[in-house]
């Protein structure tokens, strides 16, 4: 499964991703944007957040599970 990640070093704290997709992006108590653990990430909403992020610091990461 792929999951969105945020490169916090480029994040400018605009809260855009949180308004577009609050079920995935949230502001932690420490004040950083965090990606919530989800069983399934809503592709369309995450894509929208990726497109509107002014710093282009949200991207997909492949989270490959190895089953043995
Ligand atoms: S939209 Fe991008 S810059 Fe804005 S808070 Fe989210 S990750 Fe940070």
């Amino acid at each position: 499964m792929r999951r969105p990640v945020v490169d916090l070093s480029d994040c400018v704290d605009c809260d855009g991703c949180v308004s577009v997709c609050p079920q995935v992006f949230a502001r932690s108590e420490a004040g950083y944007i965090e990606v919530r653990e989800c069983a399934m990430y809503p592709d369309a909403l995450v894509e929208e957040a990726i497109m509107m992020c002014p710093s282009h610091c949200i991207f997909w990461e492949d989270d490959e599970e190895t089953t043995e």
Side-chain angles (χ1 to χ4, degrees), residues 6-7 10-18 25 27 33 49 52-58:
V6 174
D7 183 350
D10 286 334
C11 173
V12 295
D13 290 330
C14 73
D15 275 341
C17 54
V18 180
F25 302 99
R27 186 164 292 280
I33 296 295
M52 58 76 57
C53 173
S55 300
H56 308 292
C57 61
I58 307 172

Side-chain angles (χ1 to χ4, degrees), residues 1-4 21 23-24 36-43 46 60:
M1 186 180 81
R2 63 181 189 162
R3 55 170 288 151
C21 191
Q23 59 270 65
V24 172
R36 297 178 193 267
E37 286 299 322
C38 297
M40 282 285 290
Y41 289 97
D43 272 36
V46 172
W60 288 107

